[in-house]
Amino acid sequence: MKIAIVCYPTWGGSGVVATELGIALANRGHEVHFVTYRQPVRLGLLNNRIHFHEVHVPEYPLFKYQPYELALSSKLVDTVKLYGIDVLHVHYAIPHAYAGYMAKKMLEEENIHIPMITTLHGTDITLVGNHPFYRPAVTFSINNSDVVTSVSKSLKNQTLNLFDIKVDIEVVPNFIDKSKYSSSFTDCQRSLMAIDNERILTHISNFRKVKRIPDVIQVFDRVRKKIPAKLVMVGEGPEKEAAELLCEKLGIAEKVIFLGNSNEIDRILCFSDLFLLPSESESFGLAALEAMINKVPVISSNAGGIPEVNEQGITGFLSEIGDVEDMANNALKILKDDEALEEFKLNAVKSAQRFDILNVLPLYEEIYEKAYNSRFDKNFIK
Ligand code: GMT
């Protein structure tokens, strides 16, 4: 099939999922067209099955805000016509589902019927989409998608609670490609980060408030008082500076390494002993899943969809949001001796395999097929 994927090209989870999905679909023989304002960060070489179409928004002084949705919907119309696209898959409701709907309607004028699949990722529902400024447009875009999927059961329930939804929402979980990890690094270059007896705790995120970065540091501070340890912080975002200051204040600056954004997540996870994810809200927690497939157990909050990924007492532990004491105690249970750590590591990698792409990709393929075959069905086309 020819599939157009709309996503954010940034480091965020929704962009990563969309990109990895596109690459996997191309490997299965589909033709994939990414339509976004920049080449997605995880997208490598383009080839005859993976195309990238950049959305340009020319600056015009009259506009205080440049109309990205308009440029995106026009680009979608052109791409669908030029490449004979069969289905449109938009990741993140705002504004992608809205722009996709407009493109669909414009194409219908030319007798081209293209089904739109909208995947809800989390913040498009819980943090941003739910704001009264956006809610009517988000509700409309969801209700007018041909298929709606959400990345966890928790996000599905939240969407149904927060919006007046009149369509089914199918849960298609996020995924990892386990075959990529079977040949994990033989030398993780752990010595670059820590001395031999130190445990390495890692956090990876976009450093937004919702990630509760101070909790990461508070948990680490409690752990390092009991056992030798280092904390590796990966990512960039608005909370990073305050995090650096907090480390100074606690006198642990030389024990915390801020690496910034990285394309070497697997290498970093390779030398990590524990992953910290104390988020306030998390629809799925892709970062936790990536840690688990790299044999890293997870200490997390029990927010949103995290319990669907991190298994209590098996792959790690979950605590109430903000309970840094409990998180630190749990971390110590895992890190206390090599045997306990090894057991959690093995459990983590085993459990992560539930989300192998081989199980998830067919679900999307089935959805595309069904949507494409029903594109002339009156009940289906909005
Ligand atoms: O919060 C982030 O890390 C970024 C955000 C995004 O929109 O890209 O991630 C959301 O989508 C990811 C992929 O589906 C999920 O794994 C994250 O849990 C979700 N973030 C939140 O719900 C806060």
Side-chain angles (χ1 to χ4, degrees):
M1 288 186 104
K2 293 186 180 185
I3 303 149
I5 293 185
V6 179
C7 64
Y8 284 106
T10 53
W11 301 89
S14 66
V16 167
V17 169
T19 310
E20 300 286 356
L21 174 64
I23 295 169
L25 287 164
N27 289 340
R28 291 264 279 219
H30 299 283
E31 188 177 302
V32 178
H33 295 255
F34 288 95
V35 185
T36 181
Y37 59 82
R38 207 176 53 224
Q39 184 163 329
V41 286
R42 283 224 188 160
L43 191 61
L45 270 186
L46 303 172
N47 57 49
N48 61 348
R49 288 213 294 270
I50 303 186
H51 303 244
F52 162 59
H53 309 279
E54 187 171 334
V55 180
H56 293 282
V57 189
E59 294 269 324
Y60 187 64
L62 177 69
F63 301 143
K64 186 169 171 201
Y65 307 104
Q66 307 304 318
Y68 179 66
E69 294 87 319
L70 241 62
L72 174 59
S73 51
S74 295
K75 189 75 185 178
L76 283 172
V77 169
D78 291 346
T79 308
V80 168
K81 282 161 61 179
L82 202 59
Y83 293 91
I85 300 295
D86 299 315
V87 294
L88 176 59
H89 189 173
V90 304
H91 290 259
Y92 209 88
I94 307 169
H96 298 154
Y98 195 72
Y101 175 78
M102 287 313 297
K104 190 178 147 74
K105 284 291 158 192
M106 285 187 263
L107 287 160
E108 269 172 37
E109 297 277 294
E110 299 186 47
N111 226 6
I112 300 171
H113 296 273
I114 179 147
M116 177 170 80
I117 292 103
T118 297
T119 291
L120 310 173
H121 278 275
T123 44
D124 46 351
I125 295 302
T126 52
L127 286 183
V128 194
N130 184 30
H131 194 285
F133 290 168
Y134 297 120
R135 199 186 294 124
V138 173
T139 310
F140 175 86
S141 321
I142 295 175
N143 281 332
N144 283 281
S145 300
D146 296 299
V147 181
V148 181
T149 74
S150 82
V151 299
S152 65
K153 289 183 209 134
S154 156
L155 182 61
K156 173 179 174 170
N157 292 337
Q158 273 185 301
T159 310
L160 296 175
N161 288 338
L162 293 169
F163 299 87
D164 182 15
I165 298 300
K166 305 204 181 323
V167 291
D168 275 350
I169 300 179
E170 287 187 46
V171 176
V172 181
N174 287 331
F175 54 84
I176 32 86
D177 181 351
K178 85 169 183 219
S179 67
K180 275 201 207 159
Y181 303 92
S182 48
S183 58
S184 51
F185 307 99
T186 42
D187 173 19
C188 298
Q189 296 187 296
R190 183 191 170 93
S191 56
L192 292 177
M193 291 293 154
I195 49 174
D196 268 357
N197 68 337
E198 281 176 328
R199 298 292 197 200
I200 300 180
L201 289 76
T202 298
H203 171 77
I204 304 172
S205 79
N206 51 18
F207 283 62
R208 300 203 173 265
K209 265 221 152 31
V210 71
K211 303 292 171 182
R212 296 186 67 100
I213 301 297
D215 287 6
V216 174
I217 294 165
Q218 292 294 353
V219 171
F220 171 72
D221 191 38
R222 283 161 174 76
V223 169
R224 66 98 210 164
K225 281 179 180 151
K226 297 278 168 54
I227 56 169
K230 281 265 166 63
L231 174 64
V232 177
M233 301 284 272
V234 185
E236 292 288 347
E239 297 292 301
K240 190 176 163 198
E241 208 179 308
E244 286 167 322
L245 289 174
L246 179 59
C247 293
E248 288 283 342
K249 196 173 142 209
L250 294 170
I252 54 172
E254 78 292 351
K255 297 208 168 292
V256 185
I257 303 152
F258 287 87
L259 290 181
N261 282 331
S262 173
N263 250 335
E264 302 251 47
I265 296 300
D266 299 337
R267 190 171 288 276
I268 293 165
L269 290 167
C270 175
F271 57 63
S272 301
D273 296 306
L274 197 65
F275 187 75
L276 302 178
L277 191 68
S279 307
E280 179 105 37
S281 157
E282 201 73 67
S283 68
F284 182 88
L286 184 65
L289 179 59
E290 290 194 328
M292 284 159 58
I293 196 68
N294 280 290
K295 277 180 93 179
V296 185
V298 176
I299 290 295
S300 68
S301 70
N302 56 9
I306 302 179
E308 293 170 49
V309 180
N310 188 18
E311 296 185 87
Q312 178 77 315
I314 299 171
T315 60
F317 290 98
L318 301 97
S319 307
E320 293 298 322
I321 297 164
D323 192 346
V324 291
E325 216 61 66
D326 193 51
M327 290 181 198
N329 288 338
N330 288 335
L332 287 163
K333 277 185 213 160
I334 297 177
L335 296 173
K336 65 178 191 284
D337 61 63
D338 290 346
E339 256 172 50
L341 180 58
E342 193 52 28
E343 192 185 330
F344 275 95
K345 274 176 175 285
L346 292 177
N347 289 347
V349 71
K350 190 164 165 231
S351 170
Q353 294 178 19
R354 290 174 292 153
F355 299 98
D356 185 38
I357 193 154
L358 289 179
N359 302 329
V360 178
L361 199 63
L363 303 178
Y364 277 123
E365 286 181 311
E366 209 178 293
I367 286 171
Y368 296 154
E369 278 297 305
K370 212 163 123 199
Y372 181 73
N373 292 333
S374 322
R375 68 196 186 284
F376 295 115
D377 182 343
K378 278 217 167 46
N379 296 325
F380 192 76
I381 301 290
K382 302 289 178 302

